[in-house]
Amino acid sequence: MQTDAAPRLRLVIFDLDGVVYRGDRAVVGAPELIARVRDHGLTVRFATNNSMLDPADFVRRLVALGIPAAEDEIVTSTMATVEYLRRHLPTARDVLAVGERGLLELLRGGGYRVTPAGDALPDDFDGEALHQYDAVVVGLDRFFDFRRLAAAHAAIRGGARFIATNADASYPTVHGFVPGAGAMVAAIRAASGVEPTVIGKPEPGIFLAILDEAGVSAAQALVVGDNPAADIVAAHRAGIASVLVLTGVADASMAAALDGERRADWVVAGPSQLAALIDARVS
């Protein structure tokens, strides 16, 4: 039975990379876990810092892995960034973007004039500041190079606000870890000497927006993540209970050493152990 101290669970928010899949492979047991959550009648949302894809891309990836999903169940750091620009930089129109197709398309869909960083510099560029941009928005860019770094640096020197979709240093793939958007953000920070405004996890905005949209209180929600510094910290800041799964960034030795905001309410090896925890919250 549920007690007043443990309200009945209504919403489960899953991170994607390292929790639901790694690269093009589902985490073992993840499709069955998500189906079980849905069978309980719980609301499911997927919250990702990944800025490379748009919601339709994520739905196609999930469906290909045997996980039914809808676009309105996906919330990305780029979506949160567009909302941040709308609310906090209402006069911004021209954006220089360091990122891939999903970032560019969502910014353009938000009504912004977007210039990819790789196309921003004139051929005779000699270090002058670029004054025509209101914001520099940085996400993961697998083609990041000196030209993109120089363009972002020049635009920030010209007065553009420095906005990071997220600051994840790395993310898990099938074969190991690769640099994340945080690596690009760190390079631009070092070059410009300017600290970015970070939108995605570990900031709580994505989770708070999901609670508001779903009409669910923080006490009735659960965050499932693999990255203590991003997923778990963001959950703490949003007031939501969290589960750290050891299928991505964190392993058992790391989990044992965590404290403060990085320490989850529960640590589980993977989806099968998490299923039992969720069953207890809905019975």
Side-chain angles (χ1 to χ4, degrees), residues 69 91 93 135 154-155 180-181 197 205 207 216-217 229 249 278:
T91 62
R93 292 294 177 268
T197 297
F207 292 159
V216 173
S217 72
V249 170
I278 291 174

Side-chain angles (χ1 to χ4, degrees), residues 82-276:
V82 171
E83 183 61 24
Y84 177 89
L85 291 171
R86 184 178 294 119
R87 288 177 178 268
H88 298 280
L89 294 175
T91 62
R93 292 294 177 268
D94 291 289
V95 174
L96 186 142
V98 177
E100 300 193 18
R101 179 180 57 81
L103 177 68
L104 303 180
E105 290 184 355
L106 284 171
L107 286 169
R108 287 172 177 147
Y112 298 98
R113 292 187 290 265
V114 180
T115 301
D119 299 337
L121 298 183
D123 290 338
D124 59 352
F125 177 73
D126 61 1
E128 70 271 20
L130 300 178
H131 295 279
Q132 64 266 45
Y133 298 104
D134 301 305
V136 172
V137 176
V138 182
L140 179 58
D141 188 341
R142 291 170 295 181
F143 304 95
F144 188 70
D145 58 9
F146 181 83
R147 189 174 183 83
R148 288 167 170 78
L149 173 60
H153 176 217
I156 293 168
R157 285 178 55 223
R161 285 281 301 276
F162 181 11
I163 310 293
T165 61
N166 70 92
D168 290 352
S170 64
Y171 71 96
T173 70
V174 173
H175 301 294
F177 291 86
V178 296
M184 286 99 246
V185 172
I188 296 168
R189 180 196 294 116
S192 67
V194 174
E195 288 294 322
T197 297
V198 179
I199 304 302
K201 301 172 285 184
E203 298 308 314
I206 291 178
F207 292 159
L208 293 174
I210 289 173
L211 294 177
D212 184 63
E213 175 271 330
V216 173
S217 72
Q220 296 170 310
L222 184 68
V223 166
V224 181
D226 71 305
N227 188 334
D231 306 314
I232 306 307
V233 171
H236 271 286
R237 293 176 180 177
I240 306 173
S242 61
V243 181
L244 178 67
V245 291
L246 306 182
T247 53
V249 170
D251 58 19
S253 61
M254 179 190 294
L258 296 172
D259 57 14
E261 287 187 316
R262 298 186 305 154
R263 188 175 183 85
D265 294 280
W266 296 275
V267 177
V268 299
S272 60
Q273 294 84 358
L274 178 55

Side-chain angles (χ1 to χ4, degrees), residues 54-76:
D54 63 24
D57 294 320
F58 284 110
V59 168
R60 284 190 287 271
R61 176 177 288 189
L62 289 166
V63 169
L65 296 175
I67 303 170
E71 288 187 35
D72 61 6
E73 294 179 324
I74 310 292
V75 183
T76 74

